[in-house]
Amino acid sequence: MRSEVVYNLWDGVQVRREKFGLLFYDYRGPRLHFLPSRDLLAPEFFQGRRTAAELVEAIRSRKGLPQETASRLVTDILGMLREKGLIYEQSIC
């Protein structure tokens, strides 16, 4: 995970909060993707305003997790969403 990037949804992808976590709807398919993340991520994260490092810190402090655990969670989640073609990275440099 590169900490100097933000993440955005690809065109044709929407996300909303559900009890289990996040639900992604890909109009290009159409396909549904369920992310059982509970309250770790908010849909607003994918508006490209906060970096992955900021997300890790927010999760770490809110959940009382060690830095490594929070970082691994974020890396796994964002990697899976990238692989599915739902989000993309954008450098802030």
Side-chain angles (χ1 to χ4, degrees), residues 55-67:
L55 177 60
V56 168
E57 181 56 28
I59 291 171
R60 188 200 63 72
S61 63
R62 192 173 70 241
K63 297 292 187 181
L65 298 173
Q67 179 75 21

Side-chain angles (χ1 to χ4, degrees), residues 7-27:
Y7 292 84
N8 295 287
L9 298 171
W10 280 108
D11 288 340
V13 177
Q14 291 183 339
V15 62
R16 74 176 190 219
R17 184 184 314 272
E18 296 287 339
K19 289 181 182 181
F20 59 81
L22 298 177
L23 172 66
F24 291 82
Y25 186 77
D26 186 350
Y27 287 98

Side-chain angles (χ1 to χ4, degrees), residues 2-54:
R2 297 174 40 214
S3 59
E4 69 280 356
V5 298
V6 294
Y7 292 84
N8 295 287
L9 298 171
W10 280 108
D11 288 340
V13 177
Q14 291 183 339
V15 62
R16 74 176 190 219
R17 184 184 314 272
E18 296 287 339
K19 289 181 182 181
F20 59 81
L22 298 177
L23 172 66
F24 291 82
Y25 186 77
D26 186 350
Y27 287 98
R28 302 167 298 178
R31 290 183 301 227
L32 291 175
H33 301 273
F34 301 93
L35 179 65
S37 57
R38 300 240 179 219
D39 64 345
L40 290 180
L41 286 165
E44 296 78 24
F45 174 75
F46 300 103
Q47 294 175 349
R49 295 188 185 126
R50 294 178 60 202
T51 65
E54 291 170 328

